[in-house]
Amino acid sequence: MQIEIERIAFGGAGIAKKDGKVFFVRGGLPKDVLEINIIKDKGNYAEAVIAEIIKPSPDRIETPCPVFDLCGGCQLQNLNYPAQLREKEYILKETLGRLGGLYDVAIEPIVPSPKEFGFRNKVTLSTWFYKGKWHVGYNQKGSNRKVAIDSCPISTDIVDKTIKRISEVLTSLGDPYYPLEKIHISSNGFKSQITLVPRHSRRGDLLKTLLKHLRRHQETENVSINGSGETGFEFSILGNKFLTTPSIFTQVNSEINELMIKTVLDWAELTQEQTVLDLYSGIGNFSIPLARGASEVLAVEISNNSVKLARKSAQANSVNNLVFQNAASEHAIEVLNKDEEKFDLIVLDPPREGAKEIIEGLVELSPTKVIYVSCDPATLARDLKKFSELGYKVVKVRPFDMFPQTFHIESIALLCK
Ligand SMILES: C[S@@+](CC[C@H](N)C(=O)[O-])C[C@H]1O[C@@H](n2cnc3c(N)ncnc32)[C@H](O)[C@@H]1O
């Protein structure tokens, strides 16, 4: 069957419509004319793959990564960067309208990543033993099967060098008995840090020989084993020091992260008398910069390890008006409402699932402003709609391209009472 792709869907597939049916075509790009094979027919829509490119999209380009067609990490490397940005802007606008009824909200142009490649300061590699050799890699597109890699062009130079070296070391080892599940690599911009994750937490000791093989190298500062005292490291953002470890959540694109923090601070317009609640605070990425401009900040985070590091970072920055609470946001909000606490500003940066369960409780805390940082347009749309129904106006939304070459879209929304 022949179709012409109209747009990109969230998830990265090309969208085409024909005879009242919608087709999601893996690898299809806007204005591609394609012969397609349907792989799943669901009635009013179908999933398909490209059988032949009859006429390529004017935005179609060669990809630098030799495993792009297989690897699940990137979906859009074959689309030129301006077209990636155009499509992401459209997806956000369309989703906020369709799922949030937010047709009139000011959606700003997407903030491009200063680096189109070489931006990722953190990766997690799967590891497996096959045909007498160790391999490192990622999941394949749309599958749990793996694709082996020895380099990843979206990683920063240091992370990429570390991937190359780990791949060389591991593929030279014939020993299948290491209980190795995966490897986290992180970089502070100067050196890389490696964490080996054992298949069973109690078998970490069996990775000690492997750790020695990987340790000695100029670009790597630490190699540690998860569960046997993962080594932390320091990095800085906008003059603030942060402590973390490779297995803990941190923002992967440092330059975009700086621009996001600046946006949160600009939109917060804090005065030294104001109080802030920072929900889903991680290692204090937003909490520490916010505390510098506020009277008091309460930060809430569910990961005990993140909270321990965040407290140390606050100390290292001599920030004393910031309390990190190790709790689930939903629980913390319940207690705060019981105690009749109020906040001037609430910042929230939930995982992909969004923050549906906490919105009513959050509104009870009566913030004048809410700043919502999101990595999923659909849950953002749903949650902004709920805020609107509860009396908050969505003033503006600014998308950021945190993850070039992929379908992911990060956004910050400002809401006022
Ligand atoms: C998208 S990250 C944001 C972290 C941080 N704001 C940052 O910019 O680095 C989401 C964070 O929410 C935390 N989290 C997940 N579920 C949570 C919950 N129910 N309550 C509080 N924190 C939660 C995760 O551990 C993670 O650190």
Side-chain angles (χ1 to χ4, degrees):
M1 173 194 275
Q2 219 179 80
I3 48 94
E4 179 167 344
I5 301 290
E6 292 175 15
R7 304 226 68 119
I8 297 289
F10 190 66
I15 308 177
K17 290 181 193 137
K18 193 167 186 177
D19 305 330
K21 189 164 178 151
V22 182
F23 298 87
F24 295 95
V25 185
R26 202 178 293 164
L29 302 179
K31 296 210 165 67
D32 268 346
V33 178
L34 304 169
E35 184 67 32
I36 56 168
N37 287 335
I38 293 175
I39 51 171
K40 253 188 221 163
D41 198 334
K42 300 272 187 179
N44 56 350
Y45 76 93
E47 289 174 32
V49 290
I50 300 174
E52 193 191 339
I53 300 177
I54 313 275
K55 189 169 160 249
S57 160
D59 296 320
R60 194 173 262 281
I61 54 170
E62 289 296 315
T63 64
C65 180
V67 293
F68 167 72
D69 286 339
L70 263 186
C71 180
C74 294
Q75 300 74 35
L76 302 177
Q77 263 187 38
N78 54 355
L79 185 63
N80 69 43
Y81 194 55
Q84 288 183 29
L85 297 173
R86 177 196 72 210
E87 292 303 309
K88 288 186 186 189
E89 261 178 36
Y90 177 81
I91 290 169
L92 181 67
K93 206 175 192 149
E94 192 275 334
T95 311
L96 291 183
R98 182 170 44 87
L99 300 178
L102 299 162
Y103 294 101
D104 303 328
V105 166
I107 302 173
E108 297 185 358
I110 189 164
V111 178
S113 173
K115 291 191 184 120
E116 294 171 27
F117 287 91
F119 60 85
R120 221 187 145 103
N121 60 33
K122 192 177 190 311
V123 299
T124 298
L125 301 172
S126 296
T127 54
W128 66 100
F129 194 82
Y130 180 63
K131 291 197 172 169
K133 260 174 50 173
W134 278 96
H135 302 267
V136 299
Y138 297 127
N139 278 355
Q140 289 190 12
K141 283 188 166 75
S143 148
N144 284 332
R145 296 173 70 179
K146 308 287 178 204
V147 53
I149 61 154
D150 56 12
S151 169
C152 175
I154 63 169
S155 311
T156 62
D157 212 31
I158 294 164
V159 171
D160 199 36
K161 276 189 184 136
T162 312
I163 296 175
K164 283 194 177 106
R165 189 169 62 83
I166 290 178
S167 164
E168 274 167 25
V169 172
L170 272 178
T171 49
S172 69
L173 299 174
D175 184 351
Y177 299 111
Y178 291 120
L180 181 63
E181 171 86 34
K182 56 186 176 184
I183 301 179
H184 299 295
I185 307 171
S186 226
S187 159
N188 58 3
F190 304 103
K191 294 273 183 185
S192 64
Q193 324 284 327
I194 300 172
T195 297
L196 307 176
V197 182
R199 228 173 284 133
H200 308 288
S201 55
R202 270 183 266 122
R203 298 181 69 194
D205 274 4
L206 297 174
L207 295 178
K208 279 189 176 153
T209 333
L210 180 58
L211 181 141
K212 279 185 198 141
H213 282 298
L214 289 171
R215 181 172 277 157
R216 276 166 264 116
H217 211 273
Q218 56 189 21
E219 91 275 337
T220 301
E221 191 165 23
N222 287 304
V223 189
S224 54
I225 298 169
N226 209 18
S228 320
E230 191 186 14
T231 313
F233 67 97
E234 194 180 295
F235 67 103
S236 74
I237 313 171
L238 298 171
N240 291 307
K241 289 182 207 154
F242 288 89
L243 290 163
T244 189
T245 70
S247 69
I248 273 179
F249 179 92
T250 50
Q251 303 287 358
V252 302
N253 184 332
S254 310
E255 282 151 319
I256 281 288
N257 186 34
E258 285 194 358
L259 297 171
M260 294 207 318
I261 295 171
K262 282 184 182 162
T263 297
V264 168
L265 294 176
D266 275 359
W267 290 2
E269 293 178 306
L270 284 172
T271 64
Q272 294 287 348
E273 293 76 47
Q274 289 183 319
T275 54
V276 181
L277 176 62
D278 181 23
L279 297 168
Y280 310 91
S281 56
I283 58 161
N285 185 46
F286 298 116
S287 345
I288 291 176
L290 282 165
R292 294 200 184 276
S295 150
E296 275 175 16
V297 177
L298 173 64
V300 177
E301 165 59 45
I302 204 165
S303 154
N304 185 27
N305 287 337
S306 300
V307 168
K308 278 189 200 156
L309 291 162
R311 286 179 182 144
K312 284 189 191 160
S313 300
Q315 249 179 0
N317 289 293
S318 308
V319 168
N320 304 316
N321 56 341
L322 167 58
V323 173
F324 282 96
Q325 191 179 337
N326 184 198
S329 293
E330 43 281 28
H331 178 68
I333 287 183
E334 214 179 290
V335 175
L336 290 167
N337 275 320
K338 250 188 218 147
D339 295 346
E340 298 186 2
E341 297 276 0
K342 302 284 173 227
F343 293 89
D344 297 301
L345 166 70
I346 298 185
V347 175
L348 69 162
D349 181 11
R352 218 151 278 163
E353 307 80 63
K356 191 172 155 216
E357 288 77 24
I358 65 164
I359 296 175
E360 278 180 21
L362 188 155
V363 165
E364 246 185 89
L365 295 167
S366 200
T368 330
K369 265 187 197 174
V370 174
I371 297 180
Y372 189 140
V373 183
S374 156
C375 58
D376 186 305
T379 54
L380 177 69
R382 178 201 66 197
D383 292 350
L384 292 183
K385 184 175 180 206
K386 180 92 185 159
F387 272 111
S388 308
E389 287 163 3
L390 294 170
Y392 281 78
K393 180 178 165 28
V394 184
V395 179
K396 53 187 166 181
V397 181
R398 181 177 292 173
F400 292 82
D401 198 20
M402 174 79 89
F403 309 95
Q405 320 308 331
T406 79
F407 67 84
H408 296 285
I409 307 168
E410 194 82 13
S411 319
I412 305 187
L414 172 67
L415 298 107
C416 288
K417 230 199 310 207

Coordinates of all heavy atoms in Angstrom, one line a residue, residues 248-251 257 260 278-287 300-303 306 327-331 348-353 358 373 375 410, ligand 1:
I248 N 21.8 7.2 40.0 CA 20.7 8.1 40.5 C 20.2 9.0 39.4 O 21.0 9.4 38.5 CB 21.3 8.9 41.7 CG1 21.1 8.1 43.0 CG2 20.6 10.3 41.9 CD1 21.6 8.7 44.2
F249 N 18.9 9.4 39.5 CA 18.4 10.3 38.4 C 19.1 11.7 38.4 O 19.1 12.3 39.5 CB 16.9 10.5 38.6 CG 16.4 11.4 37.6 CD1 15.8 10.9 36.4 CD2 16.4 12.8 37.7 CE1 15.4 11.8 35.4 CE2 16.0 13.7 36.7 CZ 15.5 13.2 35.5
T250 N 19.6 12.0 37.3 CA 20.0 13.4 37.1 C 19.7 13.8 35.6 O 19.5 12.9 34.8 CB 21.6 13.6 37.2 OG1 22.2 12.6 36.5 CG2 22.0 13.6 38.7
Q251 N 19.6 15.1 35.4 CA 19.2 15.5 34.0 C 20.4 15.2 33.0 O 21.5 15.5 33.4 CB 18.9 17.0 34.0 CG 17.8 17.4 35.0 CD 16.4 17.0 34.5 OE1 16.2 16.4 33.5 NE2 15.4 17.3 35.4
N257 N 19.7 21.6 30.8 CA 19.4 21.6 32.2 C 19.6 23.0 32.8 O 18.8 23.6 33.5 CB 20.1 20.6 33.0 CG 19.7 20.5 34.5 OD1 18.5 20.7 34.8 ND2 20.6 20.2 35.4
M260 N 16.9 25.2 31.7 CA 15.7 25.0 32.4 C 15.7 25.6 33.8 O 14.7 26.2 34.2 CB 15.4 23.5 32.5 CG 15.2 22.8 31.1 SD 14.2 21.3 31.2 CE 14.8 20.5 32.6
D278 N 9.3 22.2 46.6 CA 9.8 21.6 45.4 C 9.5 20.1 45.5 O 10.2 19.4 46.2 CB 11.3 21.9 45.3 CG 11.9 21.3 44.0 OD1 11.2 21.1 43.1 OD2 13.2 21.0 44.0
L279 N 8.6 19.6 44.6 CA 8.2 18.2 44.7 C 8.9 17.4 43.6 O 9.2 17.9 42.5 CB 6.7 18.1 44.4 CG 5.8 18.8 45.5 CD1 4.3 18.9 45.0 CD2 5.8 18.1 46.8
Y280 N 9.2 16.2 43.9 CA 10.0 15.3 43.0 C 11.4 16.0 42.8 O 11.8 16.2 41.7 CB 9.3 15.1 41.7 CG 7.9 14.7 41.8 CD1 6.9 15.6 41.8 CD2 7.5 13.3 41.9 CE1 5.5 15.2 41.9 CE2 6.2 12.9 42.0 CZ 5.2 13.9 42.0 OH 3.9 13.5 42.1
S281 N 12.1 16.3 43.9 CA 13.2 17.2 43.9 C 14.5 16.5 43.5 O 15.5 17.2 43.2 CB 13.4 17.9 45.2 OG 13.5 16.9 46.2
G282 N 14.6 15.2 43.4 CA 15.8 14.5 43.0 C 17.0 14.9 43.9 O 16.9 14.9 45.1
I283 N 18.1 15.2 43.3 CA 19.3 15.6 44.1 C 19.3 17.1 44.4 O 20.3 17.6 44.8 CB 20.6 15.2 43.3 CG1 20.6 15.9 41.9 CG2 20.8 13.7 43.2 CD1 22.0 16.0 41.3
G284 N 18.2 17.8 44.1 CA 18.1 19.2 44.5 C 18.4 20.1 43.3 O 18.7 21.3 43.5
N285 N 18.3 19.6 42.1 CA 18.6 20.3 40.9 C 17.9 21.7 40.8 O 18.6 22.7 40.5 CB 18.1 19.5 39.7 CG 18.5 20.1 38.3 OD1 19.6 20.5 38.1 ND2 17.5 20.1 37.4
F286 N 16.6 21.8 41.2 CA 15.9 23.1 41.3 C 15.9 23.7 42.7 O 16.0 24.9 42.9 CB 14.5 23.0 40.8 CG 14.4 22.5 39.3 CD1 13.8 21.3 39.0 CD2 14.9 23.3 38.3 CE1 13.7 20.9 37.7 CE2 14.8 22.9 37.0 CZ 14.2 21.7 36.7
S287 N 15.9 22.8 43.7 CA 15.7 23.2 45.1 C 16.9 24.1 45.5 O 16.6 25.2 46.2 CB 15.6 22.1 46.1 OG 15.4 20.9 45.5
V300 N 10.8 17.6 48.4 CA 10.3 16.3 48.7 C 10.7 15.3 47.6 O 10.5 15.6 46.4 CB 8.7 16.3 48.8 CG1 8.2 14.9 49.1 CG2 8.3 17.3 49.9
E301 N 11.3 14.2 48.0 CA 11.8 13.2 47.1 C 11.7 11.8 47.7 O 12.0 11.6 48.9 CB 13.3 13.6 46.8 CG 14.1 12.5 46.1 CD 13.6 12.0 44.8 OE1 13.2 12.8 43.9 OE2 13.5 10.8 44.6
I302 N 11.3 10.9 46.8 CA 11.0 9.5 47.3 C 12.3 8.7 47.5 O 12.4 7.7 48.3 CB 10.0 8.8 46.4 CG1 9.3 7.7 47.2 CG2 10.6 8.2 45.2 CD1 8.0 7.2 46.5
S303 N 13.3 9.0 46.7 CA 14.6 8.2 46.7 C 15.4 8.6 47.9 O 15.9 9.7 47.9 CB 15.3 8.3 45.4 OG 16.7 8.0 45.6
S306 N 18.9 9.7 46.8 CA 19.0 11.1 46.3 C 18.9 12.1 47.4 O 19.6 13.1 47.4 CB 17.8 11.3 45.3 OG 17.8 10.4 44.3
A327 N 10.2 11.4 51.2 CA 8.8 11.0 51.3 C 8.2 10.9 49.9 O 8.7 11.5 48.9 CB 8.0 11.9 52.1
A328 N 7.1 10.3 49.7 CA 6.3 10.3 48.5 C 5.5 11.7 48.5 O 5.0 12.1 49.6 CB 5.3 9.2 48.4
S329 N 5.5 12.3 47.3 CA 4.8 13.7 47.3 C 3.4 13.6 47.8 O 2.9 14.5 48.5 CB 4.8 14.1 45.8 OG 6.1 14.4 45.4
E330 N 2.7 12.5 47.4 CA 1.3 12.4 47.8 C 1.1 12.3 49.4 O 0.2 13.0 49.9 CB 0.6 11.2 47.2 CG 1.3 9.9 47.1 CD 2.4 9.7 46.0 OE1 3.0 10.8 45.6 OE2 2.7 8.6 45.6
H331 N 2.1 11.7 50.0 CA 2.0 11.6 51.5 C 2.4 12.9 52.1 O 1.7 13.4 53.0 CB 3.0 10.5 51.9 CG 3.0 10.3 53.4 ND1 2.0 9.9 54.1 CD2 4.0 10.6 54.3 CE1 2.3 9.9 55.4 NE2 3.5 10.4 55.6
L348 N 7.0 21.4 40.6 CA 6.9 20.0 40.5 C 7.5 19.4 39.2 O 7.4 20.1 38.2 CB 5.5 19.5 40.7 CG 4.4 19.7 39.7 CD1 3.3 18.7 39.9 CD2 3.9 21.1 39.7
D349 N 8.2 18.3 39.4 CA 8.9 17.7 38.2 C 8.8 16.2 38.3 O 9.7 15.5 38.6 CB 10.4 18.1 38.3 CG 11.2 17.5 37.1 OD1 10.6 17.0 36.2 OD2 12.5 17.6 37.2
P350 N 7.5 15.7 38.1 CA 7.2 14.3 38.3 C 7.8 13.4 37.2 O 8.2 13.9 36.1 CB 5.7 14.3 38.2 CG 5.3 15.4 37.4 CD 6.3 16.5 37.6
P351 N 7.8 12.1 37.4 CA 8.2 11.2 36.3 C 7.1 11.2 35.2 O 6.1 11.9 35.4 CB 8.2 9.8 37.0 CG 8.1 10.1 38.5 CD 7.6 11.4 38.7
R352 N 7.4 10.4 34.2 CA 6.5 10.4 33.0 C 5.0 10.3 33.4 O 4.1 10.8 32.7 CB 6.9 9.1 32.2 CG 6.8 9.3 30.7 CD 7.9 8.4 30.1 NE 9.2 9.0 30.1 CZ 10.3 8.4 29.9 NH1 10.3 7.1 29.6 NH2 11.5 9.0 29.9
E353 N 4.6 9.5 34.4 CA 3.2 9.3 34.7 C 2.5 10.6 35.2 O 1.3 10.6 35.3 CB 3.0 8.3 35.9 CG 3.7 7.0 35.7 CD 5.2 7.0 36.0 OE1 5.6 7.3 37.2 OE2 6.1 6.8 35.1
I358 N -1.9 14.1 42.9 CA -1.6 15.1 44.0 C -2.2 16.5 43.7 O -2.1 17.4 44.5 CB -0.1 15.3 44.2 CG1 0.6 15.8 42.9 CG2 0.5 14.0 44.7 CD1 2.0 16.3 43.2
V373 N 7.4 21.1 35.6 CA 8.4 20.6 34.7 C 8.0 19.2 34.2 O 7.7 18.3 35.1 CB 9.8 20.5 35.3 CG1 10.9 20.1 34.4 CG2 10.1 21.9 36.0
C375 N 8.2 15.7 31.4 CA 8.8 15.0 30.3 C 7.9 14.2 29.4 O 8.3 13.4 28.6 CB 9.9 14.1 30.8 SG 9.3 12.9 32.0
E410 N 10.7 17.7 26.6 CA 10.7 18.3 28.0 C 9.9 19.6 27.9 O 10.2 20.4 26.9 CB 12.1 18.5 28.4 CG 12.3 18.7 29.9 CD 12.3 17.4 30.7 OE1 12.4 16.3 30.2 OE2 12.2 17.5 31.9
Ligands
LIG1 C1 12.0 13.6 36.6 S1 12.9 13.3 38.1 C2 13.2 15.0 38.6 C3 14.3 15.2 39.6 C4 14.8 16.6 39.8 N1 13.7 17.5 39.9 C5 15.8 17.0 38.8 O1 15.6 18.0 38.1 O2 16.9 16.3 38.7 C6 11.6 12.8 39.1 C7 12.0 12.5 40.5 O3 10.8 12.1 41.2 C8 11.2 11.1 42.1 N2 9.9 10.4 42.5 C9 9.2 9.5 41.8 N3 8.0 9.2 42.4 C10 7.9 10.0 43.4 C11 6.9 10.3 44.4 N4 5.8 9.6 44.4 N5 7.1 11.2 45.3 C12 8.3 11.9 45.4 N6 9.3 11.7 44.5 C13 9.1 10.8 43.5 C14 12.2 10.2 41.4 O4 13.0 9.5 42.4 C15 13.0 11.3 40.7 O5 14.1 11.7 41.5

